[in-house]
Amino acid sequence: MITFLKRFLVTILILLVLVQFYPKDKPNISEAVSANEISIQYTVPDSVHAILKASCYDCHSNNTVYPWYSKIQPVAWWLNSHITDGKNELNFSEFTTYRIGKQYRKLKAINDEVKKGDMPLSSYTLIHRYAKLDDAQKLLIATWATAIEESIKIQYPMDSLISKKQRTL
């Protein structure tokens, strides 16, 4: 039994070492402001931008800052998958490429997720304590998102802002 356990542990150790040589796919990261950045089309006060950068941009922009442990497999795969999912859900660097209805719904979702405390994810704030939002920061983000939502509602008819699913309900 002990030899089986030793073999098993040695095998796991060898696999962990070998997997380190597997290529890590990371998107190209740029510190430059994208031509499609949310701040190009909408006013983003410095205080809001600082919060977004600290608490959101690692997963929701093209300006991800990868930590040292992102070079270790299988953590690198998990992080890359998580970041890819985050950018697919919302990407502040590509925000102006979204149709106006999607922009409106994403702002509404930002407002809701932040108010409920669902964003940033607790798994992220566990390691990145500075990203955790206090009540004042949540209110600041919610007020900013609501102001942009309202400006969009003034400029566009409501049926262009809701999804086809919502129209049929």
Side-chain angles (χ1 to χ4, degrees):
M1 178 68 176
I2 293 177
T3 44
F4 171 76
L5 185 59
K6 282 183 182 179
R7 281 188 207 163
F8 178 74
L9 291 174
V10 168
T11 303
I12 294 295
L13 183 63
I14 290 169
L15 287 174
L16 283 173
V17 169
L18 289 175
V19 78
Q20 302 312 308
F21 297 103
Y22 192 81
K24 299 156 190 77
D25 295 332
K26 289 185 189 172
N28 293 330
I29 304 303
S30 169
E31 286 296 321
V33 175
S34 164
N36 301 314
E37 176 80 27
I38 191 169
S39 61
I40 300 296
Q41 186 169 339
Y42 301 107
T43 301
V44 181
D46 290 341
S47 56
V48 171
H49 189 260
I51 295 168
L52 294 177
K53 193 169 184 180
S55 301
C56 309
Y57 272 33
D58 274 351
C59 295
H60 295 288
S61 81
N62 294 339
N63 301 95
T64 302
V65 177
Y66 285 92
W68 65 268
Y69 52 84
S70 70
K71 295 173 176 57
I72 301 169
Q73 297 293 14
V75 174
W77 290 326
W78 178 80
L79 277 177
N80 193 45
S81 170
H82 185 76
I83 290 166
T84 300
D85 290 348
K87 288 179 186 179
N88 287 339
E89 184 62 36
L90 169 67
N91 189 336
F92 288 109
S93 298
E94 304 299 328
F95 196 82
T96 63
T97 65
Y98 299 158
R99 289 185 341 269
I100 195 65
K102 185 174 181 179
Q103 289 179 21
Y104 178 78
R105 291 188 301 277
K106 291 299 176 186
L107 287 161
K108 207 166 201 37
I110 290 167
N111 198 340
D112 294 342
E113 297 284 323
V114 167
K115 279 182 182 173
K116 289 190 294 187
D118 291 344
M119 282 290 160
L121 295 176
S122 57
S123 60
Y124 183 76
T125 58
L126 183 67
I127 296 170
H128 304 92
R129 299 227 185 255
Y130 60 85
K132 191 167 179 67
L133 301 177
D134 61 30
D135 290 341
Q137 291 170 315
K138 289 177 183 179
L139 182 60
L140 192 59
I141 295 292
T143 302
W144 166 75
T146 300
I148 296 175
E149 284 176 57
E150 293 300 319
S151 73
I152 291 173
K153 278 200 304 196
I154 291 169
Q155 295 177 14
Y156 297 91
M158 198 60 193
D159 65 339
S160 68
L161 303 179
I162 57 175
S163 67
K164 290 177 185 176
K165 259 189 215 176
Q166 290 172 319
R167 281 185 230 154
T168 59
L169 295 179

